[in-house]
């Protein structure tokens, strides 16, 4: 199957879905399309609520594409690469419509950032999470503001420093990343669709006002995430990281 990003609408709910085999790692091109999909959904008056999901029944998102990361060769190119997730997070943050996350499988790196950026997030018990960035010589700097906002600095520290550990969906639920965890993906999808259909019947202006209040204090994130992308981009060009990426890709 080929990679894609789609935006569809049903009963005033916009469904944004991305897919990139085999593990939904996202290269720059798909991240651009994902950002654009959120902008299009924001401008579509027929869409009142947005659901973010990925294709396949295994990994929700494995983060950024290591294949693309290893090819980075200069600072501006590297910064632009890490701006991919920054732009998606900001597009969700600034979207006036409530964004619901549907996390059916493992979330790694930037995938955890996407889950954290949604306004409310539901998951299956298969949706364990991991931040592996420190182990390859960079860090989860771009997604840190979104993740820390949801789970707090202590839990963020655990995720970051225990970079080889998958933390369970239950752990993520207990710390506020997931609103609820379901035993199967079928139950997850039914709940997300039911909840989205309930929300779309509410006053859109009230939902938008509530979202603005919830995100108050993040107005500086355009600049902050750009700074974090520059930091990550610089570290990604280091000999240490290049070597680690090569080792990973040879497995």
């Amino acid at each position: 199957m080929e990679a894609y990003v789609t935006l569809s609408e049903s009963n005033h709910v916009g469904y944004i879905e991305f897919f990139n085999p085999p593990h939904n790692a996202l290269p720059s091109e798909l991240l651009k399309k994902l950002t654009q999909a959120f902008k299009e959904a924001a401008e579509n008056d027929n869409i009142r609520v947005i659901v973010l999901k990925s294709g396949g029944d295994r990994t929700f998102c494995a983060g950024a594409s290591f294949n693309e990361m290893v090819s980075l060769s200069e600072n501006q190119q590297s910064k632009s690469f890490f701006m991919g997730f920054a732009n998606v997070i900001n597009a969700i943050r600034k979207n006036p419509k409530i964004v619901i996350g549907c996390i059916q499988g493992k979330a790694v790196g930037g995938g955890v950032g996407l889950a954290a950026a949604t306004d409310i997030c539901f998951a299956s018990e298969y949706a364990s999470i991991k931040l592996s960035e420190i182990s390859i010589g960079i860090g989860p700097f771009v997604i840190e503001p979104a993740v820390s906002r949801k789970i707090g600095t202590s839990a963020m520290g655990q995720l970051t420093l225990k970079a080889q550990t998958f933390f369970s969906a239950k752990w993520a639920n207990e710390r506020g990343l997931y609103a609820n965890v379901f035993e199967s993906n079928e139950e997850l999808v039914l709940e997300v669709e039911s909840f989205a259909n309930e929300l779309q019947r509410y006053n859109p202006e009230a939902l938008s006002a509530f979202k603005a209040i919830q995100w108050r204090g993040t107005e500086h994130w355009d600049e902050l995430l750009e700074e974090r992308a520059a930091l990550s981009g610089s570290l990604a060009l280091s000999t240490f990281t290049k070597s680690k990426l090569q080792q990973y890709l040879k497995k």
Side-chain angles (χ1 to χ4, degrees), residues 4-250:
Y4 64 78
V5 173
T6 60
L7 169 60
S8 59
E9 185 268 325
S10 176
N11 193 32
H12 301 295
V13 178
Y15 292 89
I16 295 176
E17 180 173 313
F18 63 89
F19 178 70
N20 189 32
H23 300 298
N24 283 330
L26 295 176
S28 296
E29 188 58 34
L30 284 188
L31 288 167
K32 289 177 183 176
K33 291 181 179 180
L34 200 51
T35 300
Q36 184 59 35
F38 277 106
K39 291 179 179 178
E40 290 177 7
E43 295 168 358
N44 186 333
D45 291 337
N46 201 45
I47 292 175
R48 299 172 184 169
V49 176
I50 300 168
V51 171
L52 173 64
K53 58 192 290 191
S54 69
D57 58 3
R58 296 182 64 187
T59 307
F60 167 69
C61 177
S65 168
F66 279 10
N67 287 318
E68 186 174 355
M69 195 185 303
V70 76
S71 70
L72 301 174
S73 59
E74 55 88 21
N75 282 321
Q76 187 55 48
Q77 177 196 30
S78 196
K79 175 186 173 182
S80 295
F81 172 78
F82 285 97
M83 280 299 297
F85 274 100
N87 290 333
V88 178
I89 290 171
N90 278 325
I92 296 173
R93 174 179 66 88
K94 292 187 283 188
N95 198 302
K97 297 165 185 180
I98 296 294
V99 177
I100 304 168
C102 181
I103 316 301
Q104 90 288 5
K106 292 180 177 179
V108 180
V112 180
L114 294 181
T118 63
D119 298 297
I120 187 168
C121 194
F122 300 94
S124 77
E125 63 179 13
Y126 309 109
S128 55
I129 61 175
K130 180 171 76 169
L131 297 182
S132 58
E133 289 90 339
I134 284 288
S135 67
I136 60 168
I138 54 176
F141 303 120
V142 169
I143 66 170
E144 180 276 327
V147 181
S148 290
R149 173 179 171 270
K150 275 290 177 70
I151 69 174
T153 55
S154 177
M156 181 67 193
Q158 293 179 54
L159 273 176
T160 300
L161 298 178
K162 298 187 72 174
Q164 303 294 345
T165 301
F166 269 104
F167 290 75
S168 70
K170 180 182 177 182
W171 186 93
N173 172 227
E174 290 172 345
R175 283 150 186 82
L177 180 64
Y178 300 149
N180 207 343
V181 173
F182 299 89
E183 291 185 0
S184 70
N185 285 328
E186 290 76 15
E187 290 177 277
L188 166 66
V189 170
L190 286 174
E191 173 60 25
V192 168
E193 290 180 351
S194 174
F195 183 64
N197 284 323
E198 177 184 341
L199 280 189
Q200 66 84 18
R201 294 194 293 270
Y202 297 169
N203 183 348
E205 293 182 3
L207 290 174
S208 181
F210 175 73
K211 177 163 182 171
I213 290 170
Q214 287 282 286
W215 284 94
R216 189 168 50 197
T218 66
E219 294 82 3
H220 64 298
W221 277 23
D222 281 346
E223 295 77 18
L224 175 62
L225 299 195
E226 185 174 355
E227 292 172 4
R228 298 293 183 83
L231 173 58
S232 294
S234 176
L235 289 168
L237 298 177
S238 69
T239 301
F240 183 98
T241 297
K242 291 290 188 184
S243 175
K244 287 290 186 180
L245 287 171
Q246 292 289 0
Q247 293 173 29
Y248 177 87
L249 292 173
K250 286 178 181 178

